[in-house]
Amino acid sequence: MVNLAACEDTLALFTEGIAGRYLHIKATDEFANNRQLAYHNDRAGQGSDALFLPEEIDAPDHHCYRVLVLEQIGLRECGTFSFRMQRGLAEISELASRYEVPKGATPRTGDFFLLFSAFAQPSLASELFNLFEKARVQAHLLRTYPGINRHMQRYHQHLLATAELHYDPLSFGHRSLWGDDEIPPEWRSLGDALQQLQGPDQSVYDSVRALCQLYDQVAEAYVFDNLTAYPSPEESIPDWLNREQRIDEWDEKLEELDDQVMMADMIHAEDLEAERGETSEAAVRDAEVDIKMLMDERDTLKRRIDMEKSSVQHALGADRSAARSYRYDEWDYLQRRYLTHWCRVYEESLSGTDEEDIEGLNNAIRHFQGIVQKQLEQIRPTGLQRISRVQDGDELDLNAIIEARQDIRAGQSPSERFYSRKERMHRDVCAIFLVDLSASTDDPVEPPEPKDWSDYDEDAADNMRDPWYASLSSDEEEPVVERKIIDIQREAMVVMASALDALGDSYGIYGFSGYGKDCVEVFVAKEPQEGFSQRTLQSIAAMKPKRSTRMGPAIRHSTHKLMQSGHAMKVLMIISDGFPQDSDYGPERGNHTYGVEDTAKAIKEAQQKGVETFCITVDRSGQDYLKQMCPDSRYLVIEEMEDLPDQLTKVYAALTGR
């Protein structure tokens, strides 16, 4: 058996190179958006932005996963999901003679549901169609990606050797695609159809035509006790993928309508200008009617697209095409073992806009910059290194002098570089600031004090129904803007960013949140290799309170990023406002020990890899769990939230100044 986890990273790179865009590689059991839709654990499939593969397959090597990946990509390259029933009825007479509009069909009903409903046994029609499409896609892959030929042959030979032999047409059809030439004479027509579909000019409509021509012959080989219904459109993944593909066509139609409306407006404006003062009111009114009809058609199509996108995302999952995903282990302290590839982390860039309010962040830089830079100036250099064979220096290089004497005796011109001197080594530091973006960071820094209503005078209370009191509103005090925890965290990040940029250290700023083990979110405000810019300010300003606090996967992902940086000194600083918690962080909801133990294990893993870690929390009860999570002197509880920028700088200077 070959495991997906062992080759998932390289497989993701392979997939991105072939597909031309990033696709998440997921196990089939991760597709669980609702109870109706699911993939078989032993089959491959796809969604809007992901490929779903079996967690393990019976195969000779891990390269067989590439075959499964290419088969899924090939379905889109060959236009399988672009099938449209309306075109099929127009081009295929055998289909038109079979088809009757099913009850309850709407313009949003999937085309595959309409297609397979034309047959007495829809599930059999679906299996036969998939066989024909597999033959067509496989031939396309061998022509387009010849390098896959040896992997496909090896995998198919393994399937032939291990698969049970069933004497039915579908089994013989699949075996013929695997390279088995022993097809019974009675199924020669099926083999001929599969051979024909492997031609370079075949389309999905040729597969449908072959389905209509051979369905009755294939159906006679099966005895059905009860007619098996094809799943409803709401329960069929191919139908949802078909509907997703149809959205792209509607988007193109919407762009055409936008162009037509704009053109009609321009022509109408020219006509009005030319006909001003003339008696051509009827023609002008007709033009206005035409423009209104176009606008109504455009608005109707736009509403349909929005509704369809919402439905598709609800069925296939949220669109995460802008993110990349990784899987990490989780430590189960109850069983004293790792849960392998248990959590999925989505890494997504924060894209701040020009409208983001960054004036407050600039004020924070101006306020703290002097204090922070003064503290960072206390950082001692990492050391001095003696450089040999230089032209000027404070000491003679004996080895260079000996070589020079030898050159003179040999009659050669000696080198004049026979000095050495000490030079300061460059700081080689990479730091990552991991900021908690849980929902609790939306809380005010200081909770408002309760009002004292003991001296409340009911007679003096304003009668809000009396408009006379509206004139008194100008005398009321302006509401006080509450500063929230997230505001202080953002200010601390921009202060550190501006200071470290001047110091020359490499640093990254990430926020983390999420909900559940399959959706841990890491938001990138700044990568270590990026410089400090206006975009950095906008990205930090875009850091918002999100959901839960699953620290373990976020720490492991940050450690992974630090190890990839290649710097000599690696620092991870975690800024949080509470203990780690999530909906399924442990067997029992509300049991905080599980999350604390997993976080402690993640921190220990980072330290074993040479990463300097430090946790800072503004939770006044942090002493209770931080001493379990972190080593001694590697955590700090801040009593006053406003002290965060100053304390953060002191900690960083202490960690990197050694």
Side-chain angles (χ1 to χ4, degrees):
M1 303 298 289
V2 181
N3 194 271
L4 176 62
C7 59
E8 186 173 329
D9 293 339
T10 56
L11 197 61
L13 293 174
F14 171 80
T15 304
E16 186 175 7
I18 296 296
R21 66 187 182 101
Y22 182 81
L23 292 170
H24 303 283
I25 301 297
K26 298 184 178 181
T28 49
D29 58 4
E30 290 188 69
F31 187 90
N33 294 305
N34 55 56
R35 290 179 297 178
Q36 289 80 19
L37 296 178
Y39 279 116
H40 295 287
N41 287 337
D42 59 344
R43 294 186 183 181
Q46 60 182 287
S48 301
D49 57 0
L51 298 184
F52 295 91
L53 304 172
E55 189 67 73
E56 61 179 17
I57 56 173
D58 184 3
D61 56 48
H62 68 273
H63 294 296
C64 296
Y65 270 116
R66 298 188 179 187
V67 177
L68 300 182
V69 165
L70 281 175
E71 287 177 350
Q72 293 302 313
I73 294 176
L75 291 173
R76 291 191 181 268
E77 290 186 352
C78 293
T80 299
F81 301 122
S82 63
F83 168 75
R84 296 293 171 260
M85 190 64 178
Q86 186 176 4
R87 179 180 170 183
L89 292 172
E91 296 183 2
I92 306 170
S93 57
E94 298 93 336
L95 178 61
S97 63
R98 288 176 176 271
Y99 181 68
E100 292 182 4
V101 180
K103 294 181 179 179
T106 68
R108 298 170 64 192
T109 302
D111 290 281
F112 287 129
F113 177 81
L114 299 176
L115 170 63
F116 301 137
S117 297
F119 300 88
Q121 196 63 240
S123 294
L124 176 62
S126 171
E127 291 292 332
L128 187 56
F129 171 80
N130 291 336
L131 174 63
F132 290 145
E133 278 297 275
K134 190 168 187 177
R136 192 172 68 88
V137 170
Q138 179 176 302
H140 163 78
L141 296 177
L142 291 174
R143 287 191 300 268
T144 310
Y145 310 103
I148 200 64
N149 185 27
R150 58 192 177 96
H151 300 308
M152 189 176 288
Q153 283 185 352
R154 190 174 182 188
Y155 184 40
H156 288 172
Q157 289 172 2
H158 179 77
L159 292 176
L160 280 174
T162 56
E164 296 182 9
L165 179 60
H166 298 281
Y167 293 90
D168 61 74
L170 290 179
S171 295
F172 281 116
H174 282 290
R175 294 180 70 87
S176 69
L177 296 181
W178 297 342
D180 190 356
D181 298 329
E182 298 181 5
I183 297 181
E186 60 268 26
W187 301 117
R188 190 62 63 187
S189 58
L190 178 62
D192 293 341
L194 292 173
Q195 188 69 30
Q196 182 178 356
L197 284 168
Q198 296 179 33
D201 56 346
Q202 299 293 293
S203 71
V204 65
Y205 297 96
D206 294 299
S207 295
V208 174
R209 183 177 287 106
L211 168 65
C212 295
Q213 294 171 350
L214 292 173
Y215 170 81
D216 293 328
Q217 181 186 355
V218 172
E220 290 177 359
Y222 297 89
V223 177
F224 303 105
D225 297 330
N226 296 305
L227 293 179
T228 305
Y230 181 75
S232 71
E234 302 300 321
E235 300 174 359
S236 166
I237 297 177
D239 274 308
W240 283 109
L241 293 172
N242 176 269
R243 291 171 65 171
E244 180 211 22
Q245 192 83 21
R246 190 163 52 185
I247 292 175
D248 296 336
E249 300 173 6
W250 288 350
D251 282 332
E252 293 178 2
K253 177 64 176 175
L254 183 62
E255 290 181 5
E256 294 177 4
L257 287 173
D258 283 334
D259 293 339
Q260 292 176 15
V261 170
M262 184 174 64
M263 186 64 68
D265 278 338
M266 293 174 60
I267 295 174
H268 179 51
E270 292 175 359
D271 290 343
L272 282 176
E273 185 68 24
E275 296 170 358
R276 183 171 295 171
E278 299 181 9
T279 57
S280 303
E281 295 183 1
V284 172
R285 281 197 298 271
D286 290 341
E288 291 176 347
V289 170
D290 292 340
I291 294 174
K292 187 177 185 306
M293 290 177 60
L294 282 173
M295 293 178 65
D296 289 343
E297 183 180 358
R298 179 194 62 184
D299 294 342
T300 301
L301 180 58
K302 190 175 186 305
R303 286 194 296 270
R304 180 187 296 179
I305 290 173
D306 292 340
M307 292 174 60
E308 191 71 348
K309 284 182 177 179
S310 177
S311 299
V312 169
Q313 287 193 12
H314 178 73
L316 300 180
D319 181 15
R320 291 188 175 273
S321 55
R324 290 178 176 265
S325 65
Y326 308 80
R327 284 203 290 175
Y328 292 98
D329 299 345
E330 184 169 281
W331 174 252
D332 185 348
Y333 85 101
L334 297 172
Q335 303 182 53
R336 311 302 299 174
R337 69 181 183 91
Y338 281 103
L339 302 177
T340 307
H341 285 74
W342 187 251
C343 298
R344 181 168 293 277
V345 172
Y346 289 96
E347 181 189 290
E348 185 173 353
S349 296
L350 285 169
S351 53
T353 63
D354 294 335
E355 289 75 23
E356 293 285 358
D357 184 15
I358 61 174
E359 182 58 32
L361 300 182
N362 283 319
N363 290 335
I365 293 175
R366 287 190 289 269
H367 177 73
F368 286 101
Q369 193 170 31
I371 302 173
V372 169
Q373 287 184 349
K374 184 177 180 180
Q375 292 176 350
L376 292 181
E377 287 173 359
Q378 306 303 317
I379 295 179
R380 298 190 302 271
T382 54
L384 298 175
Q385 183 177 8
R386 181 162 292 279
I387 307 299
S388 302
R389 290 180 170 82
V390 294
Q391 199 161 12
D392 296 307
D394 52 9
E395 289 185 8
L396 292 172
D397 187 340
L398 295 180
N399 291 330
I401 292 175
I402 293 172
E403 291 179 5
R405 296 283 296 177
Q406 291 174 343
D407 291 339
I408 292 173
R409 288 186 177 183
Q412 299 178 2
S413 298
S415 172
E416 296 180 359
R417 297 178 176 272
F418 43 80
Y419 289 98
S420 69
R421 65 170 177 261
K422 286 185 177 182
E423 290 186 356
R424 178 177 295 179
M425 295 172 57
H426 294 292
R427 284 177 56 84
D428 191 13
V429 180
C430 182
I432 282 182
F433 298 90
L434 188 60
V435 184
D436 178 6
L437 297 182
S438 59
S440 57
T441 60
D442 199 37
D443 293 342
V445 174
E446 292 294 338
E449 296 182 0
K451 288 188 177 182
D452 183 9
W453 297 99
S454 58
D455 298 332
Y456 178 68
D457 186 0
E458 294 184 1
D459 296 334
D462 294 344
N463 181 5
M464 301 308 295
R465 295 182 180 179
D466 191 343
W468 181 80
Y469 285 98
S471 61
L472 301 179
S473 59
S474 59
D475 298 332
E476 295 178 357
E477 296 182 0
E478 293 185 2
V480 179
V481 178
E482 291 184 337
R483 284 172 59 76
K484 299 180 179 180
I485 295 174
I486 187 66
D487 297 326
I488 307 297
Q489 288 179 333
R490 285 194 292 248
E491 291 175 3
M493 287 302 99
V494 296
V495 169
M496 289 301 300
S498 62
L500 293 181
D501 188 68
L503 185 64
D505 285 1
S506 177
Y507 63 98
I509 299 175
Y510 305 137
F512 74 97
S513 183
Y515 188 77
K517 71 180 186 66
D518 295 325
C519 186
V520 181
E521 299 167 320
V522 172
F523 302 96
V524 181
K526 181 188 175 301
E527 292 282 17
Q529 65 271 18
E530 296 176 355
F532 183 74
S533 63
Q534 186 79 357
R535 181 192 170 281
T536 308
L537 284 175
Q538 293 170 352
S539 298
I540 294 175
M543 299 174 79
K544 308 290 184 184
K546 302 291 184 179
R547 294 183 280 186
S548 297
T549 315
R550 204 182 193 104
M551 282 192 189
I555 292 173
R556 292 184 176 96
H557 184 64
S558 300
T559 303
H560 171 72
K561 303 278 282 188
L562 282 169
M563 299 307 296
Q564 286 186 323
S565 69
H567 289 265
M569 187 174 197
K570 296 170 278 288
V571 177
L572 174 60
M573 300 190 68
I574 305 150
I575 300 98
S576 176
D577 74 325
F579 52 80
Q581 59 177 337
D582 200 357
S583 60
D584 56 354
Y585 215 3
E588 297 180 3
R589 190 179 182 119
N591 180 7
H592 302 148
T593 305
Y594 186 97
V596 169
E597 291 287 344
D598 177 57
T599 304
K601 197 72 171 180
I603 292 174
K604 187 175 181 180
E605 294 166 14
Q607 292 172 334
Q608 290 173 343
K609 294 178 180 178
V611 177
E612 302 285 346
T613 63
F614 201 95
C615 295
I616 296 179
T617 184
V618 295
D619 181 10
R620 291 183 173 89
S621 61
Q623 295 282 0
D624 299 337
Y625 55 86
L626 281 177
K627 60 185 177 183
Q628 303 176 40
M629 285 172 35
C630 309
D632 294 339
S633 73
R634 286 305 175 101
Y635 65 88
L636 177 65
V637 178
I638 297 179
E639 294 291 336
E640 298 295 333
M641 187 68 194
E642 301 287 351
D643 294 338
L644 178 59
D646 182 42
Q647 295 295 331
L648 193 60
T649 308
K650 289 180 180 178
V651 170
Y652 183 83
L655 285 176
T656 64
R658 291 178 286 114

